[in-house]
């Protein structure tokens, strides 16, 4: 089935099996392996992307459901060589260990900060409840969120 | 496998009539798991997540209509005055799941652990169904006829749920092993209807389908009448009434032992949830608020 979808600002087409997920379309057909495939059942959030501006698990979206719609992935965050403030903050805060959960968390954190520039910690925890990390114990991730939030607020001021 | 992409409800119903074996996919949060794990390989899928008719909710003539395609995320943002429904939506999965998952999908899957279902049962909702050539509605308890079994005909789609708006407090609560991303071990929705002077209590995850605790409902409504609480929310119930109510709610459960909990634990959980829910509702009435 031929799918046409706008990914990170660019219209693209790919032919996939009709039962494929959006995650498969992105990783295997569109050379965008940033979104990770870990559980394929919505539990881990490592495949998080935006579909028409909404945070979703791309493993639970049928590729055909992205037909003629807009997808934004972790690859769309950095401006060429310049990392997004959330990406910078993850590096600086030491919020990355094996890195498998990182792209999904970066997307989820960016989504949160785009909606709420200064979230309280319970709000952060709730917003990230769909993203699992097996390495960091989350403390450094929460640090990264505060750091990114502060930087993004400064950037806007 | 084929994927059908209708643009309107009418088109979707025609496609469903022509290809009844096509499996509807809305948010995909149940369907995709089955596809990804190859548990089920339907002959065709019909994507209904974009049908505008299913994505609306409205209030009309004292009734509330909730389209099958309204997501939990939208309920939280747009329908927050419906406290039990919003509370149930908030407990579903994670933000990513709530941005996609729909009440129609919860109905379609028909798991007794579906968190929206006790709320629809406590609202006494009618489920509206349609095929290309007829529309019908069935009461919530006629829609789920067994574990994951529904009264939906192969050529039908779920349009949504409709219920009479109630005045009075209510809540949804569930017990699980943690605070997020958890399938309920027991869930309870209590709705107090000040106009009808009735209390409705529905239980999830403790039977093959969602259940209503009718005896407990009648008991507590009578206690509220006897104590004068319907007219004077400051009036206290007899000391043993809360416990007696909780016991009756627990007795209505038909739980089983499974990996998430034992039948005995679930029955106990129902009693705890019932006592809390009634306490919140009475407190809300005392404070003169329509919600806890
Ligand atoms: C990680 C994760 C966590 C979850 N947590 C919870 C939770 O806490 N509580 C909970 O209740 N559920 C939970 N679920 C299950 C799921 O999200 C819900 O059941 C949700 O309501 C399904 O909605 P959907 O739109 O995604 O359904 P879909 O997957 O699109 O469809 C589900 C079923 O309903 C049918 N269907 C959907 N819409 C219609 C319609 N309009 N007409 C006819 N048939 C229809 C489909 O054919 C399919 O059989 C979770 C799922 C995941 C993956
Ligand atoms: S791979 Fe999609 S949520 Fe885990
Ligand atoms: S850094 Fe390894 S899973 Fe999060």
């Amino acid at each position: 089935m031929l799918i046409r979808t706008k990914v990170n600002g660019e219209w693209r087409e790919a032919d996939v099996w009709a039962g494929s997920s959006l995650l498969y379309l992105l990783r295997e057909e569109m050379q965008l392996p940033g979104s990770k495939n870990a559980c394929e059942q919505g539990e881990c959030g490592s495949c998080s992307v935006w579909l028409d501006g909404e945070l979703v698990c791309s493993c639970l979206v049928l590729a055909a459901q992205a037909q003629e719609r807009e997808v934004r992935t972790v690859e769309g965050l950095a401006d060429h060589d310049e990392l997004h403030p959330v990406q910078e903050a993850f590096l600086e805060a030491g919020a990355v260990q094996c890195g498998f959960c990182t792209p999904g968390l970066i997307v989820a954190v960016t989504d949160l900060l785009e909606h709420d520039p200064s979230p309280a910690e319970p709000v952060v925890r709730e917003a990230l409840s769909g993203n699992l990390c097996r390495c960091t114990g989350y403390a450094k991730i929460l640090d990264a969120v505060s750091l990114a939030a502060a930087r993004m607020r400064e950037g806007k001021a | 496998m084929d994927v059908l992409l209708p643009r309107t409800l009418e088109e979707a119903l025609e496609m469903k009539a022509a290809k009844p074996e096509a499996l509807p996919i809305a948010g995909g949060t149940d369907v995709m798991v089955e596809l990804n794990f190859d548990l089920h390989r339907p002959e065709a899928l019909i994507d209904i997540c974009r049908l505008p008719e299913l994505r609306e909710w409205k209030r009309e003539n004292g009734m509330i209509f909730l389209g099958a395609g309204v997501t939990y995320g939208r309920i939280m943002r747009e329908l927050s005055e419906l406290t039990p429904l919003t509370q149930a939506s908030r407990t579903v999965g994670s933000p990513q799941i709530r941005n996609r998952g729909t009440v129609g999908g919860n109905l379609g899957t028909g798991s007794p652990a579906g968190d929206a279902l006790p709320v629809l049962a406590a609202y006494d909702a009618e489920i509206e169904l349609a095929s290309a050539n007829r529309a019908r509605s069935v009461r919530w308890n006629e829609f789920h006829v067994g574990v994951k079994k529904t009264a939906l005909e192969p050529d039908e789609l779920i349009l949504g749920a409709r219920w009479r708006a109630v005045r009075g407090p209510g809540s949804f609560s569930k017990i699980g092993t943690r605070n997020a991303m958890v399938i309920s071990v027991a869930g309870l929705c209590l709705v107090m209807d000040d106009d009808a002077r009735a209390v409705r209590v529905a239980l999830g995850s403790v039977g093959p389908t969602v259940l209503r605790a009718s005896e407990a409902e009648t008991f507590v409504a009578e206690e509220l009448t006897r104590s004068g609480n319907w007219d004077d929310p400051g009036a206290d119930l007899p000391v043993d009434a809360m416990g007696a109510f909780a016991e009756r709610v627990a007795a209505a459960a038909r739980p089983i032992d499974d990996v998430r909990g034992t039948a005995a634990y679930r029955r106990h959980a129902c009693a705890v949830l019932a006592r809390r829910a009634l306490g919140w509702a009475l407190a809300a009435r005392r404070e003169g608020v329509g919600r806890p």
Side-chain angles (χ1 to χ4, degrees):
Chain A
M1 172 172 197
L2 192 66
I3 314 278
R4 193 178 103 98
T5 180
K6 194 172 185 178
V7 184
N8 299 328
E10 189 191 332
W11 282 103
R12 298 185 59 176
E13 277 185 1
D15 200 8
V16 292
W17 173 61
S20 307
S21 68
L22 174 59
L23 177 62
Y24 179 90
L25 177 77
L26 294 170
R27 286 180 57 85
E28 311 298 332
E29 299 293 334
M30 296 187 163
Q31 293 76 49
L32 291 169
S35 312
K36 299 297 173 218
N37 180 350
C39 72
E40 288 198 284
Q41 50 181 316
E43 297 277 348
C44 76
S46 58
C47 64
S48 298
V49 302
W50 288 273
L51 177 65
D52 279 353
E54 274 198 314
L55 182 71
V56 303
C57 293
S58 60
C59 70
L60 297 184
V61 175
L62 188 70
Q65 291 182 311
Q67 181 79 301
E68 300 297 327
R69 293 175 81 166
E70 264 194 60
V71 179
R72 186 176 163 216
T73 71
V74 69
E75 286 92 344
L77 289 177
D79 186 4
H80 298 283
D81 284 343
E82 190 163 333
L83 292 182
H84 186 280
V86 174
Q87 293 172 313
E88 287 282 0
F90 266 68
L91 284 177
E92 276 178 46
V96 181
Q97 287 191 25
C98 81
F100 205 84
C101 67
T102 311
L105 272 156
I106 300 259
V107 168
V109 170
T110 306
D111 184 72
L112 167 66
L113 297 180
E114 283 175 356
H115 289 102
D116 183 351
S118 22
E121 192 181 303
V123 176
V124 178
R125 287 175 180 265
E126 172 58 37
L128 302 185
S129 59
N131 292 79
L132 296 182
C133 173
R134 298 302 299 272
C135 304
T136 65
Y138 301 100
K140 305 249 157 147
I141 292 173
L142 295 176
D143 293 347
V145 179
S146 318
L147 187 60
R151 295 252 172 92
M152 285 168 76
R153 284 195 304 268
E154 274 166 31
K156 285 217 179 87
Chain B
M1 193 167 93
D2 259 350
V3 182
L4 310 173
L5 299 171
R7 277 156 307 180
T8 63
L9 177 63
E10 199 185 329
E11 221 175 82
L13 292 174
E14 275 163 21
M15 287 176 172
K16 195 78 172 98
K19 218 179 186 109
E21 68 279 12
L23 181 74
I25 175 165
T29 59
D30 283 318
V31 170
M32 287 305 292
V33 175
E34 302 227 313
L35 279 184
N36 290 344
F37 286 80
D38 223 349
L39 300 174
H40 182 51
R41 178 75 59 100
E43 277 172 51
L45 290 166
I46 176 165
D47 174 27
I48 55 170
C49 82
R50 273 184 264 196
L51 303 181
E53 296 89 342
L54 301 189
R55 293 168 54 96
E56 63 176 17
W57 58 264
K58 57 193 173 201
R59 295 170 171 280
E60 47 185 14
N61 309 324
M63 304 291 286
I64 292 169
F65 172 78
L66 180 70
V70 179
T71 61
Y72 299 109
R74 281 186 56 212
I75 290 173
M76 289 163 60
R77 290 191 297 273
E78 300 168 27
L79 288 165
S80 58
E81 76 277 14
L82 300 176
T83 306
L85 185 62
T86 304
Q87 289 176 335
S89 300
R90 215 185 287 143
T91 73
V92 174
S94 64
Q96 287 93 327
I97 301 299
R98 297 193 288 269
N99 279 344
R100 292 293 293 163
T102 65
V103 172
N106 219 222
L107 282 163
T109 295
S111 156
D115 287 317
L117 307 179
V119 181
L120 298 181
Y123 283 145
D124 231 349
E126 296 272 331
I127 313 304
E128 302 201 345
L129 313 171
S131 66
N133 51 29
R134 73 176 182 284
R136 63 181 178 124
S137 66
V138 296
R139 215 176 145 233
W140 63 273
N141 59 338
E142 292 159 356
F143 183 74
H144 287 126
V145 293
V147 181
K148 301 197 172 185
K149 282 209 180 67
T150 74
L152 198 67
E153 296 290 340
D155 62 345
E156 285 180 322
L157 289 177
I158 305 164
L159 299 186
R162 189 183 298 274
W163 64 89
R164 199 171 52 73
V166 286
R167 211 168 49 85
S171 64
F172 171 86
S173 40
K174 88 183 192 191
I175 289 191
T177 42
R178 61 188 185 122
N179 242 344
M181 203 68 111
V182 77
I183 305 176
S184 108
V185 176
L188 179 144
C189 180
L190 181 145
V191 168
M192 220 176 238
D193 184 338
D194 284 353
D195 296 312
R197 302 201 157 187
V199 178
R200 299 196 291 267
V201 182
L203 300 172
S205 284
V206 294
T209 60
V210 165
L211 304 165
R212 282 271 294 275
S214 322
E215 243 181 81
E217 293 178 358
T218 316
F219 168 79
V220 71
E222 283 171 5
E223 289 294 322
L224 288 165
T225 304
R226 233 192 311 278
S227 63
N229 186 289
W230 289 117
D231 294 307
D232 170 16
D236 285 328
L237 288 193
V239 274
D240 52 357
M242 294 285 260
F245 168 68
E247 246 169 55
R248 284 169 171 78
V249 171
R254 288 164 53 204
I256 53 165
D257 292 329
D258 73 8
V259 289
R260 280 177 282 134
T262 62
Y265 177 75
R266 286 187 152 104
R267 212 180 273 287
H268 175 70
C270 287
V272 173
L273 292 172
R275 190 193 289 262
R276 287 187 192 165
L278 182 59
W280 292 326
L282 293 174
R285 278 171 59 73
R286 255 196 311 276
E287 286 153 28
V289 230
R291 45 183 143 156

